[in-house]
Amino acid sequence: MKDIVKHLKEILKSISGNILGIGIKDEKLIKIIDNNININNCTLLNNINTSDSDEKGYIQTINIRRLRKVFKKKKTDYIIGNMEDLEKYLKYFIKDSIFISRNKIYLYGKLDKEKFDNLVKKYERYNVEIAIRRYRQNFLLTIDSQNAKSYRLKD
């Protein structure tokens, strides 16, 4: 997990725009997001309270099934998600993440082989570019959703 956090730190330092973070529990990653001046708006959906939550608008409670209504179409630049928290909501999250993301989706964590193959297969049907990095038992999935094709029947 340390290798994934190290790679995510590099990614977060170079990100600019709006970020939606789901299940980010590492304090180092939250500090990097907080210190990055290129991030306009950051919404973290998790159960960790930070002292800056009132000033920056970080911690919110939003039902994952309502992501589409809250964030609207292509309004979020980047989505960073921890698979431990998203695993039970994959049915809803895959189509909603393509709908609301403008640039890239980063998913990290641990899944068994069957669920991981199913996840990649479901994202491939939207004609997105997928890059997979494996770290022992964990993975980092980078999905480029700039040219994603979402069809009315698939949504």
Side-chain angles (χ1 to χ4, degrees):
M1 195 70 165
K2 292 180 183 179
D3 297 331
I4 293 176
V5 171
K6 187 176 181 181
H7 190 74
L8 280 173
K9 285 181 188 178
E10 295 172 11
I11 291 170
L12 288 173
K13 288 179 183 176
S14 64
I15 281 181
S16 62
N18 300 326
I19 295 179
L20 170 62
I22 301 172
I24 299 175
K25 297 175 183 167
D26 194 341
E27 291 293 327
K28 295 176 185 176
L29 295 177
I30 294 173
K31 285 182 183 177
I32 290 174
I33 291 172
D34 194 26
N35 293 334
N36 189 345
I37 59 172
N38 295 327
I39 295 175
N40 299 334
N41 186 14
C42 177
T43 306
L44 295 178
L45 303 179
N46 54 15
N47 295 328
I48 298 173
N49 290 327
T50 60
S51 60
D52 298 329
S53 64
D54 294 335
E55 298 173 12
K56 306 256 180 175
Y58 277 108
I59 307 300
Q60 295 182 9
T61 55
I62 298 171
N63 190 348
I64 288 189
R65 294 181 185 180
R66 295 189 60 232
L67 282 179
R68 222 178 245 244
K69 292 179 182 176
V70 173
F71 291 103
K72 307 296 181 201
K73 185 173 185 174
K74 303 292 182 191
K75 295 291 182 183
T76 305
D77 293 317
Y78 298 95
I79 298 175
I80 302 169
N82 187 350
M83 290 309 297
E84 293 172 1
D85 294 338
L86 289 174
E87 187 173 0
K88 55 186 169 185
Y89 301 108
L90 282 180
K91 179 180 177 183
Y92 310 104
F93 180 74
I94 293 171
K95 63 182 177 182
D96 291 346
S97 65
I98 293 292
F99 185 79
I100 64 176
S101 175
R102 193 182 311 163
N103 284 336
K104 291 190 179 182
I105 303 166
Y106 298 101
L107 300 175
Y108 67 96
K110 185 177 181 181
L111 278 179
D112 58 341
K113 177 91 170 125
E114 215 173 277
K115 289 183 181 179
F116 179 75
D117 292 339
N118 191 19
L119 176 72
V120 172
K121 183 179 174 185
K122 286 185 178 183
Y123 270 114
E124 283 177 346
R125 72 180 185 177
Y126 292 103
N127 297 330
V128 295
E129 295 178 22
I130 299 174
I132 302 168
R133 286 184 171 222
R134 293 195 183 268
Y135 302 97
R136 297 181 187 148
Q137 296 175 350
N138 298 316
F139 68 90
L140 175 65
L141 195 66
T142 305
I143 302 157
D144 188 5
S145 65
Q146 289 179 344
N147 299 326
K149 305 274 192 249
S150 58
Y151 300 103
R152 183 178 259 178
L153 295 176
K154 290 183 181 177
D155 285 342

